[in-house]
Amino acid sequence: QAELTTVTSENQKLQEELDLQATLTDYNTISGTVIARNPDKWIDQVVIDRGNRDGLVNGMSVMSNNGLVGRVVEVNPTSSKVTLLTTNDEAAVYTSAEIALEDETLFGVINGYDTNRKALIMEQITSTSTIEEGATVTSSGLGGLVPKGLLIGTVSEVSLDRHGLGQRVYIEPATNFEDIRFVTIINREAETVDKSNHSADTEEESE
């Protein structure tokens, strides 16, 4: 019974990854599996079974289920370390994000995680407009590393930031950070290379 439950759960998560990859048609993706997660660094990082032999480089974005979970920070030939958005290291977690409202788009930065609320924290928001609970939060692409349009989660609460001057948004993650088994790595660089090669081939043909 335990084995059946495990297999059923893994099949479900694999299907979720396939569904996710079907939505990421603008990017080349690489599938991977979590092979290690230190209990002492449970919210900080995971190790996956893909490395530079598979085309991974530092900075690549990593998703699981439906949401962005982190980015690659250390690459070996057959494995890589992924720093999670839930890490306590603010410098490592900085991710540019946006919230699309009816009449404008708000920009800000994911810069922390509240372990009590189990929510990501977004600050440095560029507007004082009212942000409704349930609004979708995605990557903005403005930080240079993370591509635009990757789902992060939904707004669960809005309050003042630590200085009491701007808005702080708590985000319910789109993925369950406690149970990350399979991942999808976003290989944006490969996509750019493919497009460049395609353009070069087209020019050669026209010549």
Side-chain angles (χ1 to χ4, degrees):
Q1 182 63 39
E3 182 178 0
L4 177 60
T5 300
T6 300
V7 171
T8 301
S9 175
E10 289 189 349
N11 283 342
Q12 179 182 351
K13 290 187 176 296
L14 281 170
Q15 185 59 53
E16 289 172 348
E17 289 306 304
L18 289 173
D19 292 342
L20 167 65
Q21 290 172 28
T23 69
L24 297 172
T25 55
D26 291 339
Y27 311 104
N28 287 340
T29 60
I30 302 168
S31 299
T33 302
V34 173
I35 56 175
R37 191 171 186 179
N38 190 329
D40 294 334
K41 296 184 177 181
W42 191 262
I43 66 171
D44 295 319
Q45 65 180 216
V46 296
V47 179
I48 60 176
D49 64 345
R50 292 290 183 266
N52 56 31
R53 291 181 182 176
D54 305 289
L56 268 65
V57 297
N58 284 343
M60 282 184 171
S61 299
V62 180
M63 302 188 74
S64 181
N65 297 339
N66 293 317
L68 181 68
V69 295
R71 54 179 171 260
V72 176
V73 294
E74 181 180 317
V75 180
N76 298 302
T78 58
S79 66
S80 298
K81 287 183 180 179
V82 176
T83 291
L84 302 175
L85 294 181
T86 53
T87 181
N88 289 319
D89 184 353
E90 287 189 9
V93 76
Y94 262 53
T95 301
S96 297
E98 65 181 37
I99 303 172
L101 304 181
E102 288 187 5
D103 53 353
E104 68 174 314
T105 299
L106 308 185
F107 298 95
V109 175
I110 305 293
N111 61 359
Y113 180 70
D114 189 307
T115 54
N116 294 324
R117 290 181 172 88
K118 295 188 181 301
L120 297 167
I121 299 170
M122 178 177 175
E123 295 182 328
Q124 301 180 28
I125 296 170
T126 57
S127 172
T128 57
S129 296
T130 301
I131 303 171
E132 300 290 341
E133 292 183 9
T136 300
V137 184
T138 60
S139 58
S140 68
L142 299 178
L145 283 177
V146 181
K148 176 181 173 62
L150 303 182
L151 179 62
I152 296 173
T154 56
V155 175
S156 59
E157 183 182 340
V158 182
S159 65
L160 291 176
D161 64 18
R162 68 193 77 183
H163 305 294
L165 301 174
Q167 297 190 84
R168 168 183 282 187
V169 173
Y170 293 95
I171 302 165
E172 180 180 350
T175 190
N176 180 7
F177 280 91
E178 296 296 326
D179 188 16
I180 302 174
R181 303 187 201 179
F182 305 103
V183 297
T184 298
I185 303 100
I186 309 299
N187 189 358
R188 184 173 61 171
E189 290 188 0
E191 184 220 11
T192 303
V193 170
D194 288 346
K195 283 186 176 179
S196 299
N197 289 341
H198 176 71
S199 298
D201 293 341
T202 303
E203 290 176 2
E204 289 178 2
E205 289 176 3
S206 61
E207 291 176 359

